Amino acid sequence: GDMIRSTSKAKITPGDVAACMTAVDRHTYLYALAKFCLDTSGWNELKLHAIHEAREFNWSGRDDERHVVELLAMVALHNSLAPNKCKSCKGTGVVDQTQQCMKCQGTGNARMSDYLLSTLIDAGRWRTKKVWMLRYKLLCSQYQAREDEINVAIHRGLRD
């Protein structure tokens, strides 16, 4: 992942990141520690927050799919913490120095396939394509929003 650096090019310590997280919620705080500090001490609690968030959407319409919601939460969390790099642009988001990579839309991250997601969440391929993929993308977008919030908090915190 990207190493967040201060203006002096000195590496920011986990303590610096934690100190900047005073205004974020607990889920975002634990995510920040795991993503930017490689601090897994709050891992079990972070997993509970991830599952709770997914359950809040009340997606378990079918009883046989309750476990799918939990697995989906874990896949979104894991993939947000350590995304697979796009093979076309080698994770840069750019091809030929200037063109945005079309395969990953400039994110640098590999796209989750219907097949892989269906395997990871133990759901049928068709149902994954029609139902679970959109929900997976929604959960991932929540983590993207958290990262934006974390970056703002860090930049604000280092300025103060």
Side-chain angles (χ1 to χ4, degrees), residues 54-95:
R55 282 190 182 142
E56 289 282 286
F57 286 102
N58 292 318
W59 286 330
S60 355
R62 298 175 2 191
D63 284 342
D64 63 329
E65 288 186 331
R66 276 189 65 80
H67 74 290
V68 176
V69 175
E70 293 187 13
L71 290 170
L72 192 73
M74 289 300 91
V75 173
L77 174 59
H78 277 278
N79 211 44
S80 297
L81 286 171
N84 293 318
K85 284 187 167 49
C86 171
K87 287 175 182 52
S88 294
C89 63
K90 296 183 178 59
T92 63
V94 181
V95 287

Side-chain angles (χ1 to χ4, degrees), residues 38 68 80 140 156:
L38 305 176
V68 176
S80 297
C140 289
R156 187 176 294 139

Side-chain angles (χ1 to χ4, degrees), residues 33-50:
L33 294 185
K35 175 103 184 182
F36 299 111
C37 308
L38 305 176
D39 177 349
T40 55
S41 62
W43 183 243
N44 287 334
E45 189 186 347
L46 179 57
K47 289 195 296 192
L48 290 175
H49 278 284

Side-chain angles (χ1 to χ4, degrees), residues 4-6 20 150-160:
I4 298 175
R5 292 180 181 277
S6 66
C20 294
I150 290 163
N151 283 317
V152 167
I154 288 171
H155 289 289
R156 187 176 294 139
L158 292 175
R159 206 179 52 224
D160 295 345

Side-chain angles (χ1 to χ4, degrees), residues 90-101:
K90 296 183 178 59
T92 63
V94 181
V95 287
D96 302 326
Q97 277 94 42
T98 56
Q99 299 300 105
Q100 179 180 336
C101 178

